[in-house]
Amino acid sequence: MSSRLMQMWKDKMLYIMLVPAFAYFFIFHIWPILGMKLAFYEYRIIGDNVFVGMKYFTALFNTPVFTNVLMNTLIVSAMKIVIIFPLPVIFALLLNEFRNGSFRKSIQVISYLPHFLSWVVIAGIWFEFMSPSKGIVNGIIQLFGFPAHDFLTDKSSIRWILVLSEAWRSIGWDSIIFLAAIIGISPSLYEAAYVDGANRWHIVTKIVIPHLYIPMVTIFILNIGFLMNAGLDQILNFTNDAVNSKIDIIDTYVYRVGLLNFEYSFATAASLFKSVIGVILVLSTHFISKKLTSKGAW
């Protein structure tokens, strides 16, 4: 038995602990890929499925609703990427400036908590928060003499509600990787900078931020890859008839067509289109970043 196999045998309990994670990804992420072939077949409950080629893709692109759904997906995702992406970096930089360790840990714990809440709970919190009759936001608005406003049924504000609630949920958790990169910076770099007369601004701009460059590039590329995922769980909990036309995305469209209307092949075609675009975006962004900066996702 080779030395590598012997080491793996010694660490067998660690590998056994990985089995549930591998099983999860295989069952819910790898095995379903085989089902994507349904996009090229006419699904039949009884009898064999019939191969129809690009029929459902042609029908998908000729459906007026899909154009609106695609635009909503791109707009909501782009808003989230542009607005939310720099916030965890800024938050990690601010946490690093706290000298009181216990206070910093308290802030970290508080900021992490929303990540572990389901969107059902988060939506309930925001409904109370934004309520036109008893919400804090409208209470503040009325203090300044303005009338209460129902933001959750307003088409002009619902996308901003999605962005703000996503930021509230993810800013603390997403800052972990950047805070870990900051903590991993060698203390000797700080000492050399102080000897040269650098102040805190110089430390942050010349030492800390350059060390965040690689994780920032990696996460940005992955975010671009998820451009077609605007947040199914979030939108299912925030949507209503008044604003659905503004936040109806590909995932909710697939859910509605596939699970509610039982058009499985058509829904699979829409989902496959979204997945292919996501792969193309990840690969394109990676190679462009490699070409321009010599750094990519891998």
Side-chain angles (χ1 to χ4, degrees), residues 7 15 17 48 54 71 108 124 135 140 149 167 202 205 213 219 234 238 288:
Q7 185 62 43
Y15 289 99
M17 292 171 64
D48 296 332
M54 302 297 290
M71 290 303 300
Q108 285 180 266
I140 296 174
H149 184 75
H202 295 142
T205 56
Y213 183 68
I219 292 177
Q234 180 191 28
F238 276 90
I288 291 173

Short mmCIF file of all heavy atoms in Angstrom, two decimals, residues 7 15 17 48 54 71 108 124 135 140 149 167 202 205 213 219 234 238 288:
data_model
loop_
_atom_site.label_atom_id
_atom_site.label_comp_id
_atom_site.label_asym_id
_atom_site.label_seq_id
_atom_site.Cartn_x
_atom_site.Cartn_y
_atom_site.Cartn_z
N GLN A 7 -1.98 7.00 4.39
CA GLN A 7 -2.41 8.23 5.07
C GLN A 7 -3.92 8.39 4.99
O GLN A 7 -4.57 8.80 5.96
CB GLN A 7 -1.72 9.43 4.43
CG GLN A 7 -2.00 10.75 5.13
CD GLN A 7 -1.50 10.76 6.56
OE1 GLN A 7 -0.40 10.31 6.87
NE2 GLN A 7 -2.33 11.27 7.46
N TYR A 15 -12.72 11.17 6.02
CA TYR A 15 -13.35 10.92 4.73
C TYR A 15 -14.79 10.43 4.92
O TYR A 15 -15.67 10.76 4.10
CB TYR A 15 -12.54 9.90 3.94
CG TYR A 15 -11.23 10.43 3.43
CD1 TYR A 15 -10.03 10.18 4.10
CD2 TYR A 15 -11.18 11.23 2.29
CE1 TYR A 15 -8.83 10.69 3.64
CE2 TYR A 15 -9.99 11.75 1.82
CZ TYR A 15 -8.81 11.48 2.51
OH TYR A 15 -7.64 12.01 2.04
N MET A 17 -16.74 11.40 7.23
CA MET A 17 -17.52 12.60 7.56
C MET A 17 -17.88 13.40 6.30
O MET A 17 -18.85 14.17 6.30
CB MET A 17 -16.73 13.48 8.52
CG MET A 17 -16.56 12.88 9.92
SD MET A 17 -15.42 13.81 10.96
CE MET A 17 -16.31 15.37 11.12
N ASP A 48 -43.07 6.02 -23.77
CA ASP A 48 -41.75 6.61 -23.89
C ASP A 48 -41.84 8.08 -24.29
O ASP A 48 -42.75 8.49 -25.03
CB ASP A 48 -40.94 5.85 -24.95
CG ASP A 48 -40.67 4.40 -24.55
OD1 ASP A 48 -40.62 4.15 -23.32
OD2 ASP A 48 -40.53 3.55 -25.43
N MET A 54 -35.21 20.92 -30.75
CA MET A 54 -35.20 22.26 -30.18
C MET A 54 -36.61 22.86 -30.08
O MET A 54 -36.76 24.08 -29.92
CB MET A 54 -34.33 23.17 -31.05
CG MET A 54 -32.90 22.71 -31.20
SD MET A 54 -32.01 22.70 -29.61
CE MET A 54 -31.86 24.46 -29.32
N MET A 71 -35.50 39.82 -18.56
CA MET A 71 -35.08 41.18 -18.21
C MET A 71 -35.15 41.40 -16.70
O MET A 71 -34.25 42.01 -16.11
CB MET A 71 -35.95 42.21 -18.93
CG MET A 71 -35.71 42.29 -20.43
SD MET A 71 -33.97 42.66 -20.83
CE MET A 71 -33.77 44.24 -20.02
N GLN A 108 -19.63 40.69 14.94
CA GLN A 108 -19.58 39.60 13.98
C GLN A 108 -20.75 38.64 14.17
O GLN A 108 -21.42 38.27 13.21
CB GLN A 108 -18.26 38.84 14.10
CG GLN A 108 -17.06 39.57 13.53
CD GLN A 108 -15.79 38.76 13.69
OE1 GLN A 108 -15.04 38.93 14.66
NE2 GLN A 108 -15.55 37.87 12.76
N GLY A 124 -41.11 37.97 6.83
CA GLY A 124 -42.00 38.39 7.92
C GLY A 124 -41.46 39.60 8.66
O GLY A 124 -42.20 40.53 9.01
N GLY A 135 -45.12 50.02 10.75
CA GLY A 135 -43.70 49.79 10.49
C GLY A 135 -42.82 50.94 10.93
O GLY A 135 -43.26 52.11 10.96
N ILE A 140 -41.04 56.73 10.82
CA ILE A 140 -40.05 57.80 10.66
C ILE A 140 -40.49 58.78 9.56
O ILE A 140 -40.36 60.00 9.71
CB ILE A 140 -38.66 57.20 10.32
CG1 ILE A 140 -38.16 56.35 11.49
CG2 ILE A 140 -37.66 58.30 9.99
CD1 ILE A 140 -36.89 55.59 11.21
N HIS A 149 -46.33 55.03 3.18
CA HIS A 149 -46.24 54.46 1.82
C HIS A 149 -46.03 52.95 1.93
O HIS A 149 -45.23 52.48 2.73
CB HIS A 149 -45.08 55.09 1.06
CG HIS A 149 -44.98 54.65 -0.36
ND1 HIS A 149 -45.85 55.09 -1.35
CD2 HIS A 149 -44.13 53.78 -0.97
CE1 HIS A 149 -45.53 54.53 -2.49
NE2 HIS A 149 -44.50 53.72 -2.29
N ALA A 167 -28.89 42.27 1.19
CA ALA A 167 -27.69 42.84 1.81
C ALA A 167 -27.72 42.62 3.31
O ALA A 167 -26.71 42.24 3.91
CB ALA A 167 -27.58 44.33 1.49
N HIS A 202 -2.67 54.58 4.96
CA HIS A 202 -1.65 53.93 4.11
C HIS A 202 -1.66 52.42 4.32
O HIS A 202 -1.49 51.66 3.35
CB HIS A 202 -0.26 54.50 4.43
CG HIS A 202 -0.12 55.94 4.09
ND1 HIS A 202 0.60 56.82 4.87
CD2 HIS A 202 -0.60 56.68 3.06
CE1 HIS A 202 0.56 58.02 4.33
NE2 HIS A 202 -0.17 57.96 3.23
N THR A 205 -4.80 51.00 2.44
CA THR A 205 -4.77 51.12 0.98
C THR A 205 -3.57 50.41 0.34
O THR A 205 -3.67 49.93 -0.80
CB THR A 205 -4.77 52.60 0.57
OG1 THR A 205 -3.65 53.27 1.19
CG2 THR A 205 -6.06 53.27 0.99
N TYR A 213 -7.34 41.40 -3.02
CA TYR A 213 -7.58 41.42 -4.46
C TYR A 213 -7.99 40.06 -5.00
O TYR A 213 -8.98 39.93 -5.74
CB TYR A 213 -6.33 41.94 -5.18
CG TYR A 213 -6.51 42.08 -6.67
CD1 TYR A 213 -7.35 43.05 -7.19
CD2 TYR A 213 -5.83 41.24 -7.55
CE1 TYR A 213 -7.52 43.19 -8.56
CE2 TYR A 213 -5.99 41.37 -8.92
CZ TYR A 213 -6.83 42.33 -9.41
OH TYR A 213 -7.01 42.46 -10.77
N ILE A 219 -14.59 35.93 -6.01
CA ILE A 219 -16.01 36.06 -5.65
C ILE A 219 -16.78 36.82 -6.72
O ILE A 219 -17.93 36.49 -7.02
CB ILE A 219 -16.14 36.73 -4.28
CG1 ILE A 219 -15.60 35.79 -3.19
CG2 ILE A 219 -17.59 37.11 -3.98
CD1 ILE A 219 -15.61 36.38 -1.81
N GLN A 234 -36.31 34.07 -2.04
CA GLN A 234 -36.59 35.44 -1.63
C GLN A 234 -37.81 35.99 -2.37
O GLN A 234 -38.72 36.56 -1.76
CB GLN A 234 -35.38 36.32 -1.92
CG GLN A 234 -35.57 37.78 -1.52
CD GLN A 234 -34.46 38.67 -2.04
OE1 GLN A 234 -33.85 38.38 -3.06
NE2 GLN A 234 -34.18 39.74 -1.33
N PHE A 238 -41.57 37.50 -1.22
CA PHE A 238 -41.81 38.94 -1.31
C PHE A 238 -42.81 39.32 -2.40
O PHE A 238 -43.27 40.45 -2.43
CB PHE A 238 -40.50 39.69 -1.56
CG PHE A 238 -39.71 39.97 -0.32
CD1 PHE A 238 -38.76 39.06 0.14
CD2 PHE A 238 -39.90 41.14 0.40
CE1 PHE A 238 -38.03 39.31 1.29
CE2 PHE A 238 -39.17 41.40 1.56
CZ PHE A 238 -38.24 40.49 2.01
N ILE A 288 -11.26 36.38 -19.19
CA ILE A 288 -11.01 37.82 -19.35
C ILE A 288 -10.16 38.33 -18.20
O ILE A 288 -9.20 39.10 -18.39
CB ILE A 288 -12.34 38.59 -19.43
CG1 ILE A 288 -13.05 38.26 -20.74
CG2 ILE A 288 -12.10 40.10 -19.34
CD1 ILE A 288 -14.45 38.83 -20.84
#
